[in-house]
Amino acid sequence: MRYSIFSLARNAFGHHEGWPAAWRSPEPKQSYDVVIVGGGGHGLATAYYLAALHGIRDVAVIEKGWLGGGNTGRNTTIIRSNYLWDESAHLYEHSLKLYEGLSRELNFNIMLSQRGVLNLAHNLHDLRELSRRVNAIRLNGIDSEVLTPVQIKAMVPILDTSPDVRYPVLGASLQRRGGVARHDAVAWGFARGADARGVDVIQNCEVTGIRQRNGAVEGVETSRGYIRARKVGVVVAGHASVLAAMAGFRLPIESHPLQALVSEPIKPIHHSVVMSNAVHVYVSQSDKGELVIGAGIDGYDSYAQRGSFPVIEDQMGALVELFPIFSRLKMLRHWAGIVDTCPDASPIISKTPVKHLYFNCGWGTGGFKATPGSGWVFAHTIAHDAPHALNAAFTLDRFSTGALIDEHGAAAVAH
Amino acid sequence: MLLIECPWCGPREESEFHCGGEAHIVRPLHPEQLSDPEWADYLFMRSNPKGPHRERWVHEAGCGRWFNVERDTVTHEITAVYRMGGPPPNPSAAPGRKR
Amino acid sequence: MTDAPFRLPSGGRIDRGSPVSFSFDGERYTGYAGDTVASALLAHGVRLVGRSFKYHRPRGVVTDGVEEPNALVQLGIGASGEPNARATQVEIHDGLAAASQNRWPSLGFDAGAVNGLLSALIPAGFYYKTFMWPGRWWMKYEYFIRRAAGLGRAPTGPDPDTYDKSWAHCDVLVVGAGPSGLAATHAAGRTGARVLLVDERPEPGGHLPGTSQSIDDAPAEEWVSAMVSDLAAMEEVRILPRATALGYYDHNYLTVLERRTDHLPYRERRGRVRQRLWKVRAKQVVLATGAHERPLVFRNNDRPGVMLASAARSYVNRYAVRPGTSAVVFTNNDTAYDPALDLADAGLRVVLADVRTGLSDARRSQLRRRGIELLAGHAITDVRGAKAVTGVSVAALNSSASAYAGGHRKIRCDLVCMSGGWNPAIHLFSQSGGRLAFDEARGAFVPGEARPAQFSAGGCNGTGALAFALSEGREAGKAAAAACGFRKRGGTPLPKVDVVEETPIRLLWTVPSRHLGRRLDKHFVDFQNDVTAADIALAAREGYRSVEHLKRYTTTGMGTDQGKTSNVNALAILSETLGADIAATGTTTFRPPYVPATFGALAGRDVGELSDPVRTTPMHQWHVEQGAAFEDVGQWKRPWYYPRDGESMREAVDRECLAARGSVGILDASTLGRIDVQGPDAAEFLDRIYTNGWKRLAVGRCRYGLMCTEDGMVFDDGVTLRLGEHRFLVHTTSGNAARVLAWMEEWLQTEWPDLDVYCNSVTEQLATASISGPFARQLLTELTTDVELGRDAFPFMSWRDGHVAGLPARVARVSFTGESSFEVSVPSGYGLSLWTALMHSGQRYGITPYGTEAMHVLRAERGFIIAGQDTDGTVTPIDLGMEWIVSRSKDFIGKRSLGRADTTRAERKQLVGLLTDDPEEVLPEGGQIVDTVTKPPMRMIGHVTSSYFSANLGRSIALALVRGGRDRHGEPVMVPLERAVVPARITEPRFFDPEGKRAHG
């Protein structure tokens, strides 16, 4: 059933008892052309684009828990494409463009709200890096501008821009097309879209092994039996190394907790997304009124979806320093996801040592904004057994050649 | 927050420490003899196991000493703490094996 | 003073001698010390206290505590306001101003209530299905949706209060001072163990003071008092009231938020810490967190005046408030009977509708004695009233509870008390990683397998009966203490508690509507977020079958009450809809904190000037007095430039640069990182850390070094002095000192423990003034007698010890400006003396202090890099044109990486100079470089890393990283800026004194 104001009105008369399931819950078949391991946003998007753009509909998405239950449902929902390096900028911009048409494409409102993303600069080094980024992004054809403290104050009046704080705000970059989207809706929309095109979305099914013969993948062992597959795409974020171990190789990835939190809902007072790498916090306000706040990763490897409290304390110090009026608000929930961090803070969307086995991982703290783009290029990579130009640089091979795409190196080290 | 038993100072809060990642990665003695993929394996590839894991920690805000910890990455339970260069205990709990 | 109309003449824990005046929505009310906003308002007959989130339905008080979904109020005004406070927990004090939230223009008439009329159109998740047309209009719709968002309002200014944090280490932490918690604390405390008891209420006893329970044939409060006075006598026992355990983390680390002043009148708060965050590390933990009563899900169960049976009982007993005059108690279990009795004793007319039939004679006779009408096998089918309950309809259920057997009877009442059973407060247990089990008989999640060193006792363990709760608590306390090595023979005997025979609960997750076969409309499950049973059925129908999907799709359990009253009901209704077991459908996850926690308390003192330490040099005060502008470099405050009256930054920097080359300039270089490296293997160690060799450096000489990360990228640089055969003084960049020391220690300890080397930071031990320029030597000559300063006696890149201005000093002939230059270092306590002596003697040479900006210009004129500015973690020494410093004969960290395919590529970005065609034009740092300007995306070949106006050269200069740049000297490039394109030419990255002769001069 198509979603619209009219179908809502029509169903109101039937007390909304006529709505069909957004997706089926099929039993897994014995074999598929393509099995996608991981029912998060990226995996579902991959399946959707395989069916929608590449005509490959005999696809199963296998999820050990529930759809969107990993980092898709645990992130701070920020979307932007203001990346420094060309390779990243083009990939994330492609994703942002897909996002801009996604609600209509999927007939599912993902509530993309392009309220602008500000990245604050607190010292001269920050300002220099910010200018470098803004210039690069602009020349890549992506919207980006530099704001002065006065302009920042006009846009975010509750931000403390006074010069006498410990690390004053000296400037900011602004991507107006950046913003937030409803994270769960992205997973659900892709699941519904994929399902409608014949993809089997299978929840509560855990992959326990990857079968191969003569260096090529044959299928996956699961908690619900063996499933043959001509091609297997793995997109399991924090669990990438576990799946790679099943396939017999290692990845340059460490899994770390990444924590986030929300405040109690309050009447809207903060309309953009403010990020500060220097004092380490980012914050937006959801349509429900909660402040959604994130920070950096915990320092140790973990699969526990649980971080350490000092990270939250640091984050709160930074938040109250930037936004003094938030001090008396209250933290409602905090949680963690398991993020797959790569040495160069860039993803791997790549063929692997095993033929017809593909990995999409290493998104670290930044995967949500890439969801449609990641699925789009991964579907292409799987369909053609070769990467698209947009993800050609994001190979596993780059760690041997040294051609890293170092997004955080470029932001690090002050003199 | 973890409670970590520094071999020199005793149990201390995690916030006094810094984690240095996977332990027992030995720097190759003759790097020039390695192929690029072999070098990349040393430099970047990690086992990143789900379950028992041996990793290095440094008591940054304490004695400043590095040491090894065996910790479960799912339960965060610490099963052993041993000095740098010491043999790993619990040989049965091989890292990388799923719990 | 006449008392409030619903206040009972006697009883309760309130202090009738201390009347308190407060306001609600501008109206003045009085209560007593010991009242909450909720109890005081109920005493005045105020039923309507809030509006729901989505439909703006009128709502009243449902609970008497932490789980309250409805009665949320805005406290205070302006900067000290607080949104979303639970009226059921806010203790009243003189001057307290509370206001209802989420209503406009008033609580009584709320325009948002129109949403209720539209409710048929806006079921759960409606927004996913619409607002997609026309394209990109979502933000217009969203504008209106956002206007409706949120509950209370943020304060309007910075928080006037302060917060702090404290650690507590104990043997046993007991959470909850109810009967189990008190028993546990007593049992553990008497062994001598250090016990910390935290409790969210103002006074211990848990729910007991809200009951009419007897212990040892006396009111329970007497037992509580006896326990508390026993505990007070135990030296190692500490009780924290108004302290809520928020989170239970790894290795028995718990956070506890203590509210220290919120209950006090404003005048008594001044100068005191508002809230304190306790960080508790306990050897053993006893959870005695009790249980929350569950609402029943029936039609219009959200009317103001519908409350939990235990809450109604508590208002009678704890607060001496009649929550109504005529009550219908609606239950599926025995725990609503005692409340019914207490209500009757308080003078209310009571009818009790129980969905069960086989009730015990004991219970029946209890009711009979009070004249309470019992409707066995009956349910409430509807609640009437708008802003207050006016009556209910009841009917007899058939045996399967699927339909009504007889007609509907209307009963007039102003209070409905409901009890759907109890949910153990397993939040902390679950947060700690414990597994939950579903108790089918009670329809509740209870603790299953626990993490180590932890006990659950009493209500949170699924134990309802007081007698068992007491014994569980005692055993848990004993066992916890024993696990810490504390034992004591004997024990307090268990007090005597009456036990009434119980009839098992009959689980009835949704009560059928009056009109059978009709939809379940407005059967509320989540009061705050307006989630109904129909919404849950809709979610299940649409495939949102995981509990997490359900929560996210319907928003159930996502409110400020975190689903304390709604989660299990929602899960059960979902299971029923799916025809699955509750246990199989799943459990909800409990995310910390247990109650919403003030951001300011989590930030503690790490705000304002304490947010990060400020590091200053010994000469800092002098710079301040000279009116220097400062730059933050890491934690350091460094003089950026020294503007004279009326000077612009450019004028000041030009003047400083000219002085450093024309006469003498002086720079405070104290912030440079300094690491003392000692040991027989020190030279070998530096050989491995740096790209260049150190073994042949003579004692008394200095050498510039570059260090890389293991992947071959430049990491830091600086000059190192060989102080002795086995001793070096390493200099690092100012912002990187700690990282470099940590880096060295890591390699030494983890990879090369065989090297006999010790490293120590001496940054803070030394103060350094760098003097530069043609008169630098002359100036220094005046101030020293024992350092031979002649060109041959003291060659470039060497150091000497001696005295300068009478101070013990080390002088190094190194130069970051390219001029003849001396770095004079003294123990940091002498720093200011050295500086003032140099300034004093330098006057006749026109000595000019220069800041970091001039330093940057001067070094750029010579093409010296700044690690972190001209490099960014992707630049190799070769890229910088510094092959001369990369040893071929030895291994060093990062060497192997320089031979990889990508690092040997010819087209890598390399350091070059850039000269703009217009010598007055200063390129912005960070400008991107292209060969040709096209429509975006443009092909970028590099970027400007450093750029200045050079007064010494009379033109602008820049350093840049450009693809294949070293072979492109002389070629033109473009730098497209937002409003202009700047043409420039690639050059050698050296603009001044290219042979570097002046430094030797």
Side-chain angles (χ1 to χ4, degrees):
Chain A
M1 189 183 295
R2 243 195 108 64
Y3 291 162
S4 69
I5 185 70
F6 305 108
S7 62
L8 262 174
R10 218 167 33 246
N11 273 284
F13 291 104
H15 309 300
H16 298 284
E17 284 167 7
W19 290 107
W23 49 81
R24 299 162 294 133
S25 296
E27 281 301 307
K29 294 194 292 182
Q30 287 188 335
S31 93
Y32 290 93
D33 281 349
V34 177
V35 164
I36 301 296
V37 183
H42 291 233
L44 293 163
T46 306
Y48 172 80
Y49 289 117
L50 276 172
L53 299 180
H54 301 281
I56 302 173
R57 287 157 185 259
D58 187 22
V59 176
V61 176
I62 294 179
E63 165 55 45
K64 77 177 161 119
W66 39 281
L67 297 183
N71 297 340
T72 304
R74 293 166 184 273
N75 62 77
T76 48
T77 79
I78 298 168
I79 289 173
R80 58 187 176 90
S81 63
N82 53 353
Y83 277 71
L84 174 65
W85 301 110
D86 297 351
E87 297 87 345
S88 313
H90 293 149
L91 180 60
Y92 286 100
E93 175 62 10
H94 182 63
S95 189
L96 178 52
K97 284 191 173 138
L98 289 171
Y99 260 126
E100 287 173 329
L102 203 57
S103 289
R104 297 242 278 171
E105 161 143 18
L106 298 176
N107 179 232
F108 201 101
N109 189 356
I110 59 143
M111 302 179 203
L112 175 69
S113 181
Q114 294 175 294
R115 290 188 252 139
V117 173
L118 291 113
N119 288 76
L120 304 182
H122 297 271
N123 56 43
L124 299 177
H125 176 77
D126 283 359
L127 274 181
R128 206 176 288 126
E129 287 302 320
L130 185 143
S131 149
R132 178 185 177 191
R133 257 164 210 273
V134 166
N135 279 308
I137 294 159
R138 208 167 32 79
L139 297 193
N140 266 321
I142 302 167
D143 81 292
S144 187
E145 56 200 276
V146 177
L147 299 189
T148 64
V150 172
Q151 291 170 308
I152 297 167
K153 187 76 184 172
M155 193 166 167
V156 191
I158 56 174
L159 184 71
D160 189 348
T161 52
S162 57
D164 50 354
V165 298
R166 179 67 185 89
Y167 291 114
V169 175
L170 302 183
S173 69
L174 168 65
Q175 183 177 24
R176 292 189 189 273
R177 284 165 62 240
V180 293
R182 176 88 183 104
H183 54 4
D184 294 322
V186 174
W188 298 342
F190 274 122
R192 178 165 166 268
D195 177 88
R197 284 162 180 78
V199 172
D200 281 357
V201 177
I202 300 160
Q203 303 182 69
N204 300 309
C205 181
E206 183 170 7
V207 170
T208 54
I210 295 175
R211 266 201 222 169
Q212 35 187 307
R213 182 190 291 182
N214 300 330
V217 77
E218 279 199 319
V220 291
E221 313 271 6
T222 78
S223 56
R224 288 162 74 173
Y226 176 62
I227 301 173
R228 270 183 293 126
R230 293 196 12 243
K231 292 177 176 179
V232 174
V234 177
V235 47
V236 294
H239 281 73
S241 299
V242 177
L243 272 287
M246 290 178 196
F249 54 89
R250 297 202 300 168
L251 292 170
I253 278 180
E254 289 185 354
S255 299
H256 287 266
L258 174 66
Q259 304 193 59
L261 63 96
V262 293
S263 75
E264 292 185 340
I266 45 163
K267 291 289 170 198
I269 44 164
H270 179 41
H271 300 288
S272 56
V273 182
V274 171
M275 314 181 71
S276 168
N277 278 333
V279 304
H280 234 130
V281 72
Y282 38 93
V283 58
S284 64
Q285 188 175 15
S286 77
D287 285 348
K288 211 172 163 258
E290 298 157 332
L291 297 172
V292 184
I293 299 157
I297 59 170
D298 280 58
Y300 50 80
D301 290 11
S302 172
Y303 286 84
Q305 294 189 328
R306 187 166 73 241
S308 289
F309 197 70
V311 175
I312 302 280
E313 294 178 82
D314 289 349
Q315 197 172 329
M316 287 298 98
L319 180 78
V320 173
E321 187 67 356
L322 288 178
F323 295 92
I325 71 161
F326 287 171
S327 172
R328 297 176 84 86
L329 303 182
K330 285 166 276 182
M331 172 170 78
L332 179 55
R333 282 189 299 278
H334 75 85
W335 66 89
I338 312 166
V339 296
D340 39 341
T341 59
C342 242
D344 58 355
S346 286
I348 298 164
I349 315 164
S350 176
K351 298 170 76 166
T352 67
V354 180
K355 206 164 157 37
H356 296 148
L357 176 67
Y358 312 86
F359 263 66
N360 182 349
C361 57
W363 291 97
T365 61
F368 178 67
K369 68 180 84 68
T371 305
S374 160
W376 195 93
V377 296
F378 199 40
H380 183 281
T381 306
I382 295 170
H384 297 272
D385 192 32
H388 186 272
L390 282 172
N391 66 314
F394 296 90
T395 59
L396 196 46
D397 193 43
R398 73 176 187 268
F399 296 95
S400 293
T401 64
L404 304 190
I405 306 156
D406 198 349
E407 281 293 341
H408 66 183
V413 194
H415 51 83
Chain B
M1 176 153 69
L2 310 177
L3 184 68
I4 298 171
E5 178 102 20
C6 170
W8 285 271
C9 309
R12 293 288 188 277
E13 299 300 332
E14 177 198 325
S15 44
E16 294 183 15
F17 299 85
H18 169 77
C19 182
E22 187 169 337
H24 305 295
I25 297 172
V26 179
R27 187 171 195 269
L29 280 178
H30 302 288
E32 70 282 2
Q33 293 171 10
L34 301 185
S35 68
D36 283 359
E38 285 168 339
W39 180 246
D41 196 67
Y42 154 70
L43 209 48
F44 296 124
M45 300 301 161
R46 297 293 178 262
S47 53
N48 192 28
K50 184 176 186 180
H53 183 38
R54 293 182 188 129
E55 59 196 6
R56 307 172 314 150
W57 286 80
V58 59
H59 196 182
E60 207 173 33
C63 63
R65 303 293 292 264
W66 283 86
F67 56 95
N68 291 316
V69 169
E70 186 181 82
R71 184 179 61 89
D72 190 300
T73 58
V74 178
T75 64
H76 292 178
E77 193 189 343
I78 293 173
T79 43
V81 172
Y82 55 105
R83 295 185 181 196
M84 224 63 231
N90 310 327
S92 60
R97 237 184 42 187
K98 223 185 142 200
R99 289 174 63 251
Chain C
M1 188 181 75
T2 52
D3 214 339
F6 288 84
R7 183 75 71 183
L8 292 164
S10 64
R13 303 285 301 168
I14 48 169
D15 178 0
R16 289 173 202 260
S18 306
V20 171
S21 166
F22 73 104
S23 73
F24 176 68
D25 277 347
E27 198 80 26
R28 297 221 66 80
Y29 297 94
T30 48
Y32 296 114
D35 261 326
T36 62
V37 169
S39 68
L41 288 177
L42 285 170
H44 286 274
V46 176
R47 298 303 184 81
L48 174 62
V49 293
R51 291 273 175 171
S52 65
F53 185 77
K54 184 174 169 187
Y55 301 135
H56 293 250
R57 290 188 42 123
R59 291 288 164 79
V61 173
V62 180
T63 74
D64 71 326
V66 65
E67 67 272 45
E68 177 60 37
N70 280 348
L72 302 179
V73 293
Q74 180 95 28
L75 294 181
I77 45 156
S80 54
E82 178 190 344
N84 307 336
R86 288 174 296 278
T88 50
Q89 286 188 298
V90 175
E91 297 170 56
I92 58 169
H93 56 76
D94 271 328
L96 176 79
S100 57
Q101 304 185 147
N102 199 36
R103 80 288 187 273
W104 183 86
S106 73
L107 184 58
F109 178 79
D110 179 9
V114 68
N115 287 0
L117 301 176
L118 295 172
S119 64
L121 266 179
I122 53 174
F126 72 96
Y127 28 74
Y128 300 121
K129 293 174 176 151
T130 183
F131 304 131
M132 290 175 279
W133 187 90
R136 303 217 181 169
W137 264 43
W138 164 246
M139 290 198 62
K140 298 190 201 299
Y141 298 120
E142 188 189 34
Y143 173 79
F144 293 100
I145 287 178
R146 279 179 83 79
R147 287 175 64 120
L151 292 168
R153 291 180 190 284
T156 53
D159 195 338
D161 278 311
T162 55
Y163 303 85
D164 73 7
K165 298 181 186 176
S166 187
W167 281 91
H169 292 85
C170 57
D171 293 310
V172 180
L173 170 70
V174 179
V175 183
S180 313
L182 285 173
T185 307
H186 197 275
R190 65 184 292 283
T191 66
R194 176 168 294 178
V195 186
L196 178 65
L197 169 61
V198 300
D199 187 70
E200 68 181 359
R201 294 185 189 266
E203 58 170 14
H207 73 286
L208 286 176
T211 67
S212 50
Q213 182 80 43
S214 325
I215 296 180
D216 281 337
D217 298 321
E221 287 146 87
E222 288 181 19
W223 177 81
V224 172
S225 306
M227 292 300 277
V228 169
S229 70
D230 274 11
L231 295 179
M234 296 179 191
E235 237 173 60
E236 292 291 337
V237 173
R238 178 169 190 181
I239 305 180
L240 283 183
R242 297 188 181 89
T244 308
L246 300 175
Y248 192 154
Y249 305 89
D250 289 322
H251 305 171
N252 272 356
Y253 174 87
L254 291 91
T255 51
V256 176
L257 186 65
E258 183 190 5
R259 302 176 306 279
R260 295 172 62 85
T261 64
D262 288 338
H263 61 291
L264 299 175
Y266 294 111
R267 60 179 182 279
E268 288 174 39
R269 297 186 188 184
R270 230 163 288 139
R272 299 171 74 168
V273 167
R274 181 185 175 215
Q275 296 178 354
R276 173 172 295 157
L277 182 75
W278 289 86
K279 307 195 254 189
V280 183
R281 185 71 79 171
K283 289 188 184 135
Q284 298 283 325
V285 173
V286 177
L287 298 176
T289 47
H292 299 137
E293 194 166 31
R294 231 164 23 212
L296 284 164
V297 180
F298 50 103
R299 191 162 195 242
N300 292 323
N301 58 344
D302 66 324
R303 301 286 191 213
V306 180
M307 67 169 70
L308 294 170
S310 59
R313 187 187 196 195
S314 167
Y315 286 114
V316 169
N317 293 306
R318 190 189 290 267
Y319 301 106
V321 169
R322 279 183 302 127
T325 51
S326 174
V328 175
V329 178
F330 181 24
T331 186
N332 65 355
N333 71 92
D334 267 24
T335 60
Y337 281 71
D338 288 333
L341 306 179
D342 289 357
L343 289 171
D345 290 346
L348 278 81
R349 193 167 60 78
V350 181
V351 175
L352 193 148
D354 191 327
V355 299
R356 303 169 301 172
T357 45
L359 305 168
S360 71
D361 290 339
R363 286 300 194 193
R364 285 174 185 276
S365 71
Q366 280 177 333
L367 298 184
R368 220 163 20 239
R369 278 201 299 276
R370 265 87 168 184
I372 298 173
E373 182 185 359
L374 172 65
L375 299 169
H378 277 64
I380 293 182
T381 61
D382 196 6
V383 181
R384 286 191 307 279
K387 291 172 192 166
V389 170
T390 57
V392 297
S393 297
V394 294
L397 283 162
N398 68 4
S399 57
S400 63
S402 60
Y404 295 107
H408 293 265
R409 173 179 153 197
K410 289 185 175 176
I411 302 175
R412 292 177 65 89
C413 64
D414 57 1
L415 175 67
V416 175
C417 301
M418 58 185 168
S419 178
W422 291 78
N423 292 330
I426 45 180
H427 307 68
L428 295 174
F429 174 86
S430 169
Q431 287 173 21
S432 75
R435 285 179 191 282
L436 302 178
F438 190 73
D439 180 335
E440 292 286 347
R442 268 176 290 206
F445 285 100
V446 293
E449 189 192 330
R451 295 300 300 272
Q454 181 196 131
F455 300 85
S456 288
C460 70
N461 200 29
T463 305
L466 179 58
F468 297 119
L470 288 167
S471 73
E472 263 184 32
R474 188 180 72 165
E475 294 314 308
K478 238 162 107 173
C484 302
F486 293 91
R487 286 186 182 78
K488 193 169 182 183
R489 275 172 187 284
T492 28
L494 279 176
K496 188 166 83 55
V497 179
D498 288 337
V499 181
V500 185
E501 185 201 344
E502 281 208 24
T503 312
I505 188 170
R506 178 181 181 185
L507 295 171
L508 182 62
W509 297 112
T510 47
V511 179
S513 266
R514 181 176 173 172
H515 307 289
L516 290 174
R518 286 287 301 275
R519 64 198 189 275
L520 293 167
D521 66 342
K522 303 295 182 287
H523 288 50
F524 284 93
V525 176
D526 184 311
F527 294 110
Q528 190 176 111
N529 281 346
D530 282 332
V531 181
T532 65
D535 287 325
I536 291 167
L538 171 66
R541 196 177 306 124
E542 294 197 85
Y544 301 92
R545 296 175 175 190
S546 141
V547 186
E548 287 294 328
H549 284 163
L550 173 79
K551 287 170 71 171
R552 288 151 185 267
Y553 191 67
T554 63
T555 73
T556 191
M558 306 295 261
T560 63
D561 55 331
Q562 293 150 312
K564 289 187 180 72
T565 54
S566 62
N567 277 342
V568 173
N569 280 340
L571 175 59
I573 294 168
L574 173 69
S575 308
E576 264 185 355
T577 314
L578 297 175
D581 283 351
I582 290 178
T585 304
T587 61
T588 63
T589 44
F590 292 89
R591 288 167 168 176
Y594 173 66
V595 294
T598 313
F599 283 162
L602 304 179
R605 295 289 168 99
D606 294 341
V607 290
E609 57 182 3
L610 296 180
S611 64
D612 205 27
V614 176
R615 297 176 79 185
T616 56
T617 73
M619 295 82 121
H620 185 73
Q621 197 49 40
W622 189 93
H623 306 316
V624 172
E625 283 161 12
Q626 296 298 307
F630 288 89
E631 174 192 8
D632 283 315
V633 180
Q635 293 172 328
W636 290 104
K637 293 278 182 200
R638 295 197 73 180
W640 188 14
Y641 58 96
Y642 298 83
R644 287 184 183 159
D645 284 343
E647 254 183 355
S648 68
M649 176 176 173
R650 163 81 178 267
E651 287 161 356
V653 172
D654 283 358
R655 175 177 50 73
E656 292 170 19
C657 286
L658 290 170
R661 296 210 192 281
S663 52
V664 59
I666 179 167
L667 173 83
D668 181 353
S670 306
T671 62
L672 278 180
R674 299 177 192 83
I675 301 169
D676 190 353
V677 178
Q678 296 191 40
D681 297 317
E684 170 64 25
F685 176 59
L686 294 187
D687 260 8
R688 298 183 191 185
I689 291 282
Y690 281 109
T691 61
N692 47 346
W694 296 89
K695 287 184 182 143
R696 289 200 300 214
L697 180 68
V699 174
R701 300 286 298 183
C702 316
R703 180 169 287 170
Y704 173 78
L706 204 59
M707 57 177 86
C708 290
T709 56
E710 189 70 302
D711 72 340
M713 303 303 154
V714 172
F715 164 53
D716 200 63
D717 69 343
V719 170
T720 290
L721 283 55
R722 187 159 200 168
L723 299 183
E725 184 57 26
H726 296 158
R727 186 171 185 190
F728 295 82
L729 182 66
V730 169
H731 285 89
T732 74
T733 49
S734 296
N736 228 3
R739 271 186 59 178
V740 172
L741 178 60
W743 176 249
M744 288 179 163
E745 281 289 346
E746 180 176 348
W747 283 99
L748 266 180
Q749 291 185 40
T750 69
E751 202 63 43
W752 305 316
D754 52 308
L755 292 185
D756 194 357
V757 179
Y758 299 87
C759 305
N760 196 13
S761 165
V762 291
T763 303
E764 304 268 1
Q765 276 63 38
L766 297 170
T768 301
S770 178
I771 51 172
S772 176
F775 298 122
R777 174 177 285 108
Q778 228 166 310
L779 166 58
L780 207 51
T781 311
E782 287 181 21
L783 289 169
T784 182
T785 51
D786 53 0
V787 180
E788 179 65 60
L789 293 168
R791 284 178 183 80
D792 301 323
F794 192 0
F796 184 54
M797 293 308 270
S798 56
W799 62 269
R800 299 289 182 266
D801 277 349
H803 290 79
V804 173
L807 306 168
R810 175 169 297 139
V811 183
R813 260 206 79 186
V814 295
S815 178
F816 196 40
T817 59
E819 290 302 312
S820 175
S821 159
F822 297 85
E823 280 190 9
V824 185
S825 298
V826 295
S828 52
Y830 296 136
L832 190 55
S833 301
L834 172 72
W835 186 271
T836 45
L838 287 166
M839 285 305 300
H840 182 75
S841 303
Q843 263 178 10
R844 48 191 288 221
Y845 304 103
I847 192 166
T848 303
Y850 66 96
T852 51
E853 187 66 18
M855 174 188 85
H856 284 194
V857 178
L858 294 164
R859 63 87 205 181
E861 290 171 348
R862 284 284 294 114
F864 297 146
I865 62 146
I866 289 183
Q869 176 167 343
D870 302 298
T871 70
D872 62 4
T874 70
V875 178
T876 70
I878 320 293
D879 298 338
L880 294 172
M882 294 169 82
E883 293 88 343
W884 53 271
I885 207 172
V886 178
S887 169
R888 290 169 189 276
S889 55
K890 55 143 191 157
D891 189 22
F892 57 84
I893 294 171
K895 186 179 192 182
R896 173 64 186 82
S897 292
L898 298 177
R900 294 174 300 179
D902 193 74
T903 35
T904 51
R905 212 161 34 92
E907 276 288 278
R908 284 184 68 82
K909 288 181 183 167
Q910 294 156 341
L911 186 75
V912 297
L914 273 191
L915 291 176
T916 47
D917 291 3
D918 173 1
E920 285 297 317
E921 174 97 42
V922 181
L923 287 166
E925 288 168 350
Q928 294 288 332
I929 302 161
V930 301
D931 278 318
T932 42
V933 175
T934 63
K935 264 180 58 182
M938 277 183 230
R939 184 173 176 275
M940 288 169 263
I941 58 169
H943 75 283
V944 178
T945 60
S946 298
S947 176
Y948 313 96
F949 185 82
S950 162
N952 284 298
L953 292 162
R955 64 153 301 139
S956 68
I957 56 168
L959 297 174
L961 288 166
V962 172
R963 201 172 293 179
R966 211 171 309 148
D967 297 329
R968 299 192 52 184
H969 292 178
E971 292 183 22
V973 290
M974 302 287 183
V975 181
L977 305 175
E978 205 168 350
R979 286 185 192 82
V981 176
V982 183
R985 199 163 290 274
I986 299 176
T987 69
E988 189 75 28
R990 262 170 292 278
F991 307 97
F992 186 83
D993 183 24
E995 280 86 47
K997 289 188 179 137
R998 294 170 69 111
H1000 293 265

